[in-house]
Amino acid sequence: MAADRDQTMAETDNMDARQAAAALQWLAEMGADEAVLEAPVNRFSASATGADAPAAQERRAAPARPAPAEIRPAAPHPSPAPSVQPAQCASLEEIYRALDGMKDFPLRRTATHTVYTAGNPKARVMLIGEAPGRDEDLQGKPFVGRSGQLLDRMLAAIGLSREAEEPDKAVIISNVVFWRPPGNRKPSEAEVVFCLPWLERTIELIAPEVIVCLGATPTQRLTGRAQGVLKLRGNWFSYNSGGRAIPLLATLHPAYLLRQPVQKRLAWRDFLSLKTRLEERARP
Ligand code: URA
């Protein structure tokens, strides 16, 4: 073990800048792009669910070993009380400033940028994703990575664009969570609950004619349904925004479509349904 470590250290010591950059890029591509997680994790008390499951199962199979006394379960992260409440914000800029100023919120601390909205606030259509990824965090804009590029192509196929100035052809895009969860993990329940009132206020201010939820997280949150997105997609729901009913379409997340290209036909059906709905509503 010690010999292995000494050899690894000698190898990294002898790296030139190009080799070090290649090693870093390799680590990032493997998903190891954070030095620390948002909160300390007590691996001794991790449950057998979620991403830890195989490791936890292995641990259970091994003879029980007492946890060192100094290791305590990670305390739940208290969400700081924001100094400004969503209802006090009268514009998207005010919401953005409030969110960006939340330096005590763990996700804000690990993020490079607050990722809020992209597109035209006068758009008829608002799209809502889950949470920013690495590219979005670096650029400070939602859906700019590979899934964003696929989303733009899908929108263009039905005559919509985040660049359009005409509200009829425009979209605005946001997410349920406004900061990248470290390592692109799924946002936790506490993170979603913290961000939700800010998303709700954002929807109220934009007052879109139609909402499109991309994937399970926004769909389940905004419809209150617990079924999987493959069951919910293609259906129209009604979202209550401050007493105003907004039609809401559930569809698949573009990142899922990149992993399962065969499912693009389902998303295409959903986008055609969106197009038809917009045309019907535009009729005098
Ligand atoms: N996936 C999301 O859900 N949102 C983004 O902004 C980017 C990727």
Side-chain angles (χ1 to χ4, degrees), residues 70-117:
E70 71 275 15
I71 298 180
R72 304 260 178 273
H77 250 270
S79 291
S83 52
V84 182
Q85 296 305 310
Q88 293 171 283
C89 295
S91 67
L92 300 186
E93 288 73 20
E94 280 180 44
I95 295 192
Y96 172 76
R97 261 186 271 124
L99 291 171
D100 199 44
M102 292 180 190
K103 310 285 183 200
D104 290 338
F105 187 58
L107 275 193
R108 173 67 192 93
R109 262 193 263 138
T110 51
T112 314
H113 287 108
T114 298
V115 178
Y116 186 42
T117 62

Side-chain angles (χ1 to χ4, degrees), residues 7 23 40 139 144 171 193 214 223 261-262 266 268:
Q7 187 186 344
Q139 295 188 38
V144 290
V171 299
V193 167
L214 305 167
T223 65
V262 69
L266 297 179
W268 177 236

